Each structure stands twice: as structure tokens, then as C-alpha cells.
Amino acid sequence: MSDATTPRTDGHAARRRGTRAQVIEAAVRLVAERGFSATSVDDIALAAGVAKGSVYYNFTSKSEILEAALAEGSERLQTTINEARGDLRGREALSAVVGALLSSMQANPDFAKLMAAEVFRVEREWQETIGALRAVTIATFADVVGEISPGEDASLVGAATFGAVLVAGLEWLLFQPDRSVEDVRASVLRLTAGL
Amino acid sequence: MSDATTPRTDGHAARRRGTRAQVIEAAVRLVAERGFSATSVDDIALAAGVAKGSVYYNFTSKSEILEAALAEGSERLQTTINEARGDLRGREALSAVVGALLSSMQANPDFAKLMAAEVFRVEREWQETIGALRAVTIATFADVVGEISPGEDASLVGAATFGAVLVAGLEWLLFQPDRSVEDVRASVLRLTAGL
């Protein structure tokens, strides 16, 4: 973000952070529904309830909005997962991380849909950001799987575990929303009980 | 497809089927890479190596191409899965279905990427077709899980199993292509060994 050329009050800064967050939230929602190319900056401004000029005050392009959305979402997800894992190891860590990922998906289903739609697209401008999200998430599960079954080559098992949480979570949020997060966590842990 | 108004020879029919298949294949590849809205009918015609008029001879719109691609891909996948399952039950059925799904993904990685990107988008024109693909795939896994652990509410476990195969499969095809299909199948079955 470029420096403002005029002095700004705290009120300005707060509004600017607010606008930025509103734009990101609207972009995630629209792109999750329609896809990136079908979403225009006009659509995003309208959905965010801000002027198009405010969007361009915060971002240089539509790609930069998505890049920021994925970067911030990834960072938040990573923090949530790390905090949930804490000092836990093995099976307890798996249970905590699965629960944290599902709760994050419930708190922001649009980001979850976006993640599923983009996580294996390798030709996007934000490829590095989504690649980091994919790598970190899979690596966390691979690490925990390695704690449960030491010595195992866990990278593909880690990917499979991430996929199990992602797809069970979306199935839940979109088609069985009356189930509790505990139900879904139990289903994933049921699948992985033999690790 | 509408009836031709002039009599056609077998050669014509063969060419027309060929064109249709080429168009579908190109559309799946481009949409898997760039997304639906970023792909034009011109792009598809160019990538398929056919005239734009030939595209519109076979399909009325870009949506209809995607609809046909998803319908044909789903039908093929369903046939493959059913044949692999055959009379097998329980753990043997799981192993066969996981292997068949991974082999299908290997044979058509573009379709696999498209499936991952679209399977939880619920606002598309081809929503019913992708919904049927999702439902049938998850139901097959839920059914097999139910055979392994009778009495269990298996719908979410089925979704988790489908997700495990889908994400491990894409991780393999995109980032660890030197691994064998047997390696990947073993990783997924390792995850699900406790069912």
C-alpha cells in the first residue's frame, strides 16, 4: 500500500482499514461464487458498499485484491492451526488441527470454497500465495501423521488428510449445515483412526 | 444436439463426433487452467484446432460445452468406479474404487482439476450435473464405508474419503508425478486403514 500524501487522522486510518477488509470480504464471496474472471472490480465495490475509487485507493488491481485475500486468509488459517496444535503431539494434535480447520471453514465458508476452487490451479497470478497455503496445510498434516506413525513417508498421507477435512467440511457447510462441527470432526477422525 | 437438415455420410458423422470430442477436451483443459469466464469460445476453437462455426454446430453456448464435458466425464467416471467395484465388498471394494478413481485422474488430469475447482460451486449453470457427480462419488464411498463399518452414519465419512482421494491425487499429479499410482493408493488406504 502506498503512503498517503496528506496527513491522516486515526479516523481516516480506521476507515481505510475498514474499507480494505470490506473489499477483501466482498471479493472472496463473489469469486467463491462466480469465479475470478466473472467478477469485476465494479461488482466488488458494489458488494462491499464502497466507491470504486476507494477500491483503487487500497489495491492496484483485481488480482492484488485476491492476492491479499489469500495471503491474509492463509496467515489467519496458519495462526489458528498453530495455536490449536500448541504443544500437542500425535493423535491429540490431529484432533485439534482437524477441529481448528473445520471451525475456520465454518467461520468463513466463502474462503473455504475459494480455497477448494483455487488450491490446485497452478497458472494464477497468486500461484505462490495459494501454493504456500497448500504446502503449509499439507505439511502440518504430514507432520502430525509422522508423529503418529514415525518413519512413514507422510507427504501423500498428509495431502489425503487435508483433502478429507476440506471435502467433508464443504459437504457439511453446503449440504448438511444442521450437523455440528463435532459431528464432522468425529467423521474425519473416524476415517483416520487407523493411522 | 439438433438433427442435421441435410443427409450426412458416415464420414460426416465420424468427423462430427471427432470435432465434438476435440472441443470438449480443449474446453476442459482451458477451463481447468484459467477458469470458465476467462475462457472464450474462440479460445476453445483455437485450442481444439477447429473452426468456430464447428463449435457452434455442435453446441449452442460455452455453458453447453462445459455441461457436456461434465456430464460425459461424470458418466465415464461412474462407469469406471462401478466396474472396479464389481462384486467386491467392504475393504476390497474400497481399495478397488480408490485405485479406479486415481487411475481416472491420471488418465485425465484436466478433468480432475476441473472437478476439484467446480465440485462445490453451487451457482453455476451446470450445477445439477456437478451435483450429480459429487453425490454419486460421495455416495459410493459412503456405501463402501457402510459395508466396512455397518450401522455407521457414513455420509460425512464418505465425503472425507472422496476428499482424501481427490486431494492426494492432485498433489501427486501436479507436484509428485514420479510417484506410482500404487504409491498414492497405498497412502490413501493407509489413512483409511482404521475404518
Side-chain angles (χ1 to χ4, degrees):
Chain A
M1 221 168 357
S2 56
D3 288 325
T5 49
T6 50
R8 298 192 162 278
T9 64
D10 283 357
H12 259 106
R15 263 202 302 287
R16 193 166 131 191
R17 271 197 303 279
T19 301
R20 193 182 152 83
Q22 278 167 279
V23 168
I24 286 183
E25 195 186 312
V28 168
R29 186 169 73 248
L30 293 177
V31 174
E33 278 170 11
R34 311 173 183 176
F36 179 71
S37 299
T39 303
S40 69
V41 172
D42 282 304
D43 296 335
I44 295 171
L46 188 67
V50 306
K52 192 168 173 180
S54 301
V55 177
Y56 281 116
Y57 183 79
N58 286 278
F59 303 96
T60 60
S61 67
K62 190 173 62 157
S63 283
E64 200 185 287
I65 304 174
L66 255 285
E67 175 82 49
L70 287 166
E72 290 184 12
S74 300
E75 202 183 312
R76 201 166 43 234
L77 192 61
Q78 189 54 33
T79 303
T80 304
I81 286 176
N82 288 348
E83 283 176 4
R85 191 174 177 191
D87 294 330
L88 300 174
R89 287 184 63 78
R91 216 165 287 282
E92 286 187 342
L94 181 64
S95 174
V97 173
V98 168
L101 184 50
L102 289 171
S103 295
S104 292
M105 292 176 68
Q106 184 179 33
N108 197 344
D110 291 322
F111 187 77
K113 284 162 74 175
L114 183 66
M115 187 162 65
E118 291 293 334
V119 75
F120 285 106
R121 284 226 162 97
V122 293
E123 314 222 343
R124 299 293 212 185
E125 287 182 49
W126 52 83
Q127 181 186 335
E128 267 187 48
T129 306
I130 195 88
L133 170 61
R134 182 182 56 237
V136 151
T137 322
I138 290 178
T140 301
F141 281 115
D143 206 37
V144 170
V145 167
E147 286 172 9
I148 298 175
S149 307
E152 186 155 5
D153 168 17
S155 70
L156 287 172
V157 183
T161 312
F162 174 53
V165 180
L166 190 64
V167 171
L170 285 168
E171 177 71 17
W172 162 49
L173 293 171
L174 290 169
F175 304 109
Q176 304 188 39
D178 293 340
R179 310 285 292 256
S180 69
V181 64
E182 275 317 312
D183 252 17
V184 191
R185 167 149 75 169
S187 293
V188 173
L189 295 177
R190 178 76 196 82
L191 182 72
T192 61
L195 279 175
Chain B
M1 219 169 357
S2 56
D3 288 324
T5 49
T6 51
R8 300 191 160 277
T9 65
D10 283 357
H12 259 106
R15 262 203 302 288
R16 193 166 130 189
R17 270 197 304 277
T19 300
R20 193 182 151 82
Q22 279 166 278
V23 168
I24 284 182
E25 195 186 312
V28 168
R29 187 169 72 251
L30 293 177
V31 174
E33 278 171 11
R34 311 173 182 177
F36 178 71
S37 300
T39 303
S40 68
V41 171
D42 282 304
D43 296 336
I44 295 170
L46 188 69
V50 305
K52 192 169 170 179
S54 302
V55 177
Y56 281 116
Y57 183 80
N58 285 277
F59 302 96
T60 60
S61 67
K62 191 172 63 156
S63 282
E64 199 185 287
I65 304 174
L66 255 284
E67 175 83 47
L70 287 167
E72 289 184 13
S74 299
E75 201 182 313
R76 201 166 44 235
L77 192 61
Q78 189 54 32
T79 303
T80 305
I81 286 176
N82 288 348
E83 282 175 5
R85 192 175 175 190
D87 294 328
L88 300 174
R89 289 184 61 78
R91 216 165 285 286
E92 286 187 340
L94 181 64
S95 175
V97 172
V98 168
L101 183 51
L102 288 170
S103 295
S104 291
M105 291 176 69
Q106 184 179 34
N108 196 344
D110 291 321
F111 186 77
K113 285 163 72 175
L114 184 66
M115 187 161 66
E118 291 293 335
V119 74
F120 284 107
R121 284 226 163 96
V122 293
E123 315 223 341
R124 298 293 212 186
E125 288 183 48
W126 51 83
Q127 181 186 334
E128 266 186 49
T129 306
I130 194 87
L133 169 62
R134 181 182 58 238
V136 152
T137 322
I138 290 179
T140 301
F141 281 114
D143 206 36
V144 171
V145 167
E147 287 172 9
I148 298 175
S149 306
E152 187 155 6
D153 167 17
S155 70
L156 287 171
V157 183
T161 313
F162 174 54
V165 180
L166 189 65
V167 170
L170 285 168
E171 177 71 17
W172 161 49
L173 294 170
L174 290 168
F175 304 109
Q176 304 189 40
D178 294 339
R179 311 285 292 257
S180 70
V181 63
E182 276 316 312
D183 253 16
V184 191
R185 168 150 76 168
S187 292
V188 173
L189 295 178
R190 177 78 195 79
L191 182 71
T192 61
L195 278 176

